[in-house]
Amino acid sequence: MELPPFELERWLDEYESDADVMLAESGVRSLPADRFDLDVGELGYVIPTDGSPAFRAEIAERYGRDAEEVVLTCGTQEADYLTFMALLDEGDHSVVVSPTYQSLASVPAAVGDVTEVRTEPPNWDLSVDAVADAIRPDTRLVVLTNPSNPTGKYLGPETLQALYDLVEENDAYLLVDEVYRMLADDPHPPAATLGPRAISTAGVSKSYGLAGARLGWVVANTELADAVRKWKDYTTISPPILGQHIAQQALGAAEDDILDANRAHANANRDRVAEFVSRYDLAWFEPTGVNGFPTVPDGFENGTEFCRSLFEAEHVVLAPGDVFGYPGRFRIGFGLHTDELEAGLERVGRHIETHG
């Protein structure tokens, strides 16, 4: 299996360490460690290595599933990767809705074959008929992020149900990365509630502001979850014991306070970006979550030119739309602290006025 370079991560690696302001960060500002009890006793493996049975049962209840259908992972990225490796055999075909986080297309393509179903502005609506047209006899999987990274489009229950009916008819599976779902003011039921051919992946990094906890999960039918466990034995073995301990608190008594604060923070910052987008005659779809995907300002050839020149002039990092396959756009993350966001927007505006 040969994987291509992860273009977004290589971009961030090139610029992040020298940045004054990171507007390419895709999560909510990180919560302070002193908000949590960090005493886990000995720093050993989580036992059993797929996660605490009691905690897995708590997560499973959210999806109407059993504890055996939940596997704890080192973040949502590992949850996605392990699911692909457990589910796909060499040559299997996947349908991937774009734009999306690169690994959700690159890993299936490295194992088998991928057909991209592109969504387009201004509303980034997904045509279920287009997905149906892309399905082949050897299709094993349909993949999407919901809410979308990078557009912030949040597909409703009717669309998810139609996609589930489609994969069920074709003996395939539906994988939905839902790491931003809990930032919605009124989250829809997760994909895994649709039935045994739906898979949900998620974690505490984005919606909960706990990227450093490195705690995610897969929710899938028992046979597939067991295959995920088998693959996990060859990767990270167990989730981090400290990350599990923090996540149990974040999804427990502290959850309402955390989510209420993070949603209010995201909504207020989104309003600031919306005003900025309007002021500079950019176009975007007002997103759910903390990522937006505006158009590149006039005067710049594409997202890469705009983002690179911005960094050189102002030491602000944005993510070019080119790394998502949409060169006329850029991704802006607005989950960071408000004073940092405002400082970053001021610099971006100055760059547009000077060079656009």
Side-chain angles (χ1 to χ4, degrees):
M1 183 176 77
E2 185 174 349
L3 289 167
F6 204 126
E7 294 183 21
L8 175 61
E9 295 304 322
R10 293 305 93 216
W11 175 271
L12 297 179
D13 184 67
E14 182 176 354
Y15 295 110
E16 186 172 13
S17 61
D18 295 321
D20 291 340
V21 184
M22 268 293 295
L23 293 183
E25 175 55 52
S26 60
V28 177
R29 79 280 182 267
S30 299
L31 295 181
D34 62 9
R35 182 163 181 167
F36 301 93
D37 166 27
L38 304 180
D39 185 3
V40 295
E42 294 183 351
L43 289 171
Y45 288 110
V46 169
I47 302 296
T49 55
D50 60 345
S52 156
F55 189 34
R56 286 191 289 112
E58 291 174 14
I59 293 173
E61 187 175 356
R62 297 165 178 250
Y63 296 85
R65 297 292 193 97
D66 296 327
E68 291 74 19
E69 297 177 286
V70 176
V71 182
L72 299 191
T73 61
C74 293
T76 310
Q77 170 85 308
E78 188 189 34
D80 293 327
Y81 179 82
L82 295 176
T83 304
F84 291 138
M85 301 311 293
L87 186 60
L88 298 174
D89 293 324
E90 185 176 355
D92 280 347
H93 177 249
S94 300
V95 177
V96 178
V97 176
S98 71
T100 193
Y101 193 59
Q102 181 181 327
S103 62
L104 297 183
S106 293
V107 178
V111 177
D113 190 20
V114 164
T115 298
E116 175 189 13
V117 173
R118 286 174 65 93
T119 60
E120 301 292 348
N123 294 323
W124 305 103
D125 290 324
L126 174 63
S127 167
V128 177
D129 288 341
V131 177
D133 290 343
I135 287 180
R136 310 187 320 209
D138 59 344
T139 299
R140 183 72 166 154
L141 187 61
V142 174
V143 185
L144 67 150
T145 56
N146 196 42
S148 168
N149 177 9
T151 69
K153 176 72 173 184
Y154 193 20
L155 300 174
E158 300 83 2
T159 301
L160 269 293
Q161 183 65 59
L163 290 172
Y164 184 80
D165 293 343
L166 188 60
V167 300
E168 190 174 45
E169 292 167 8
N170 288 274
D171 294 325
Y173 284 85
L174 175 66
L175 169 60
V176 186
D177 182 318
E178 298 174 314
V179 73
Y180 293 100
R181 184 178 73 90
M182 296 306 292
L183 282 175
D185 290 331
D186 185 18
H188 306 318
T193 62
L194 292 168
R197 289 192 169 272
I199 305 157
S200 288
T201 60
V204 297
S205 61
K206 305 301 185 182
S207 298
Y208 295 84
L210 293 170
R214 307 312 306 138
L215 199 288
W217 55 84
V218 179
V219 183
N221 68 51
T222 303
E223 181 180 2
L224 180 53
D226 285 343
V228 168
R229 291 181 178 93
K230 185 186 298 183
W231 272 95
K232 196 172 190 313
D233 289 343
Y234 285 90
T235 56
T236 56
I237 301 179
S238 87
I241 193 167
L242 183 58
Q244 178 182 264
H245 186 60
I246 292 170
Q248 285 177 290
Q249 297 168 68
L251 270 64
E255 182 172 30
D256 288 345
D257 287 344
I258 290 173
L259 290 178
D260 286 348
N262 286 356
R263 288 166 183 158
H265 178 76
N267 291 342
N269 278 3
R270 182 177 60 234
D271 290 344
R272 289 176 171 85
V273 179
E275 190 278 328
F276 174 88
V277 166
S278 175
R279 186 192 325 155
Y280 289 99
D281 290 326
L282 309 181
W284 80 336
F285 176 84
E286 193 160 304
T288 296
V290 287
N291 294 304
F293 207 42
T295 51
V296 171
D298 291 340
F300 299 93
E301 183 177 352
N302 53 41
T304 295
E305 182 197 353
F306 172 57
C307 294
R308 182 172 288 125
S309 66
L310 171 66
F311 178 81
E312 291 170 352
E314 298 287 352
H315 292 277
V316 174
V317 180
L318 292 167
D322 311 60
V323 304
F324 298 97
Y326 290 70
R329 301 260 162 177
F330 65 92
R331 191 187 75 182
I332 181 169
F334 50 85
L336 70 170
H337 293 285
T338 299
D339 57 345
E340 296 177 40
L341 174 65
E342 291 177 339
L345 291 177
E346 181 181 355
R347 295 189 187 200
V348 178
R350 183 166 61 222
H351 186 62
I352 293 172
E353 292 167 6
T354 304
H355 301 283

